[in-house]
Amino acid sequence: MSVSKKDIAEAFRAAGCVPGDTVMIHSSMKSIGHVDGNGTAVFDGVLDAASPGGTVATPSLWYNGKPAERRKEDFDVNSSPAYVGYLPEAMRLDPRSYRSNHFSHAVCAIGARAKELTQDHGNGKLFPCPWDDRAFAEVSPWSKFYQWDALYCFIGVDMDTCTIKHYIESRIVDELLQTLPPERYNDFRMQLEHDCGGGLRMSYNGVKMRERLEELGLIRKVSLGNTTLMALRTRALVDISMDILRRELKDWCLTAFYDWSCQVREAAQKN
């Protein structure tokens, strides 16, 4: 099956894309089949669906979690390749694109709000994160996807690829830490992984969460070539996932992290 730019646009409209949208894509390009125009046709098709005023974005992650291979201080926003698939690297190389400046969780974007989306990555309030507290900061593409209620999409992949789940995890950790008296904050924060070092980490199963979100009717699925395009709004993705995690934390995270969260709550109650 051959897929055209028009086919891409129609699929994204069917998935809920509207004029002025920001569209974030996780993808397996090969799952679609042959695309006339390759990555450029995908980007242009999404921009047609979001016209006028639309923006298309992909993750542009460089740090692969292996410090022996890649050191965060070696990241170059202009030349360090994205390792997360064909489309992210094609977007990085597209002369129209902007890329945010973060070694582990950069985002690339093309379109009306691309520069706005990607600039100042790491400013504002920071959120605790295993890689770097700037990764999912209040001023970051990931926070802007939430603030702008972007259409968050998956082409031929499931939500185990959902990078914004780490934003959700960071928000949950921050909520717990903010309940502590100031003198206890660092004691508990330092038990968590940070700066790509060791320690506890909040992590939940993205596929399991997708199943819950699907049961709630929040996900649209449409055919795209040989695969499926899956889409939902970022604000619902974040807010409902966080509500579920708050209520059912023990069922979603490792025992060591849950025990840590109980210790945080106990220390907060003594305040």
Side-chain angles (χ1 to χ4, degrees), residues 72-134:
K72 61 182 181 180
E73 56 267 27
D74 293 336
F75 174 72
D76 186 289
V77 68
N78 296 311
S79 63
S80 294
Y83 76 88
V84 283
Y86 174 86
L87 280 181
E89 184 63 357
M91 181 172 286
R92 183 185 75 83
L93 295 172
D94 192 303
R96 300 171 293 174
S97 73
Y98 292 85
R99 188 187 199 186
S100 72
N101 191 5
H102 193 275
F103 73 97
S104 66
H105 286 86
V107 165
C108 266
I110 297 170
R113 303 185 77 181
K115 183 176 181 180
E116 180 185 2
L117 176 67
T118 56
Q119 67 186 1
D120 300 324
H121 191 153
N123 286 356
K125 175 179 170 59
L126 306 183
F127 292 109
C129 174
W131 296 273
D132 171 83
D133 288 0
R134 295 171 50 250

Side-chain angles (χ1 to χ4, degrees), residues 114-209:
K115 183 176 181 180
E116 180 185 2
L117 176 67
T118 56
Q119 67 186 1
D120 300 324
H121 191 153
N123 286 356
K125 175 179 170 59
L126 306 183
F127 292 109
C129 174
W131 296 273
D132 171 83
D133 288 0
R134 295 171 50 250
F136 301 103
E138 184 179 28
V139 182
S140 70
W142 306 101
S143 286
K144 291 171 187 174
F145 291 141
Y146 175 76
Q147 293 157 13
W148 301 355
D149 202 17
L151 188 67
Y152 207 98
C153 300
F154 304 83
I155 299 174
V157 294
D158 208 334
M159 285 181 64
D160 52 345
T161 66
C162 182
T163 305
I164 207 167
K165 97 178 189 72
H166 301 310
Y167 169 74
I168 293 167
E169 291 160 355
S170 293
R171 291 268 308 271
I172 290 288
V173 170
D174 183 67
E175 284 186 359
L176 287 164
L177 288 171
Q178 292 303 325
T179 65
L180 291 165
E183 65 272 15
R184 298 302 310 277
Y185 182 96
N186 285 337
D187 294 340
F188 284 96
R189 175 66 180 96
M190 294 307 293
Q191 296 175 40
L192 300 172
E193 185 174 358
H194 57 283
D195 294 334
C196 303
L200 299 172
R201 179 186 289 200
M202 165 62 183
S203 181
Y204 70 89
N205 186 311
V207 175
K208 180 180 173 183
M209 187 63 77

Side-chain angles (χ1 to χ4, degrees), residues 205-245:
N205 186 311
V207 175
K208 180 180 173 183
M209 187 63 77
R210 186 263 301 158
E211 292 169 352
R212 291 286 293 273
L213 297 172
E214 200 164 10
E215 288 171 2
L216 294 170
L218 298 173
I219 296 175
R220 289 191 187 185
K221 292 183 176 181
V222 299
S223 295
L224 177 56
N226 296 330
T227 193
T228 299
L229 167 63
M230 180 170 65
L232 72 167
R233 287 291 164 184
T234 304
R235 202 166 293 157
L237 165 58
V238 172
D239 288 346
I240 293 173
S241 296
M242 289 185 67
D243 285 344
I244 291 170
L245 292 168

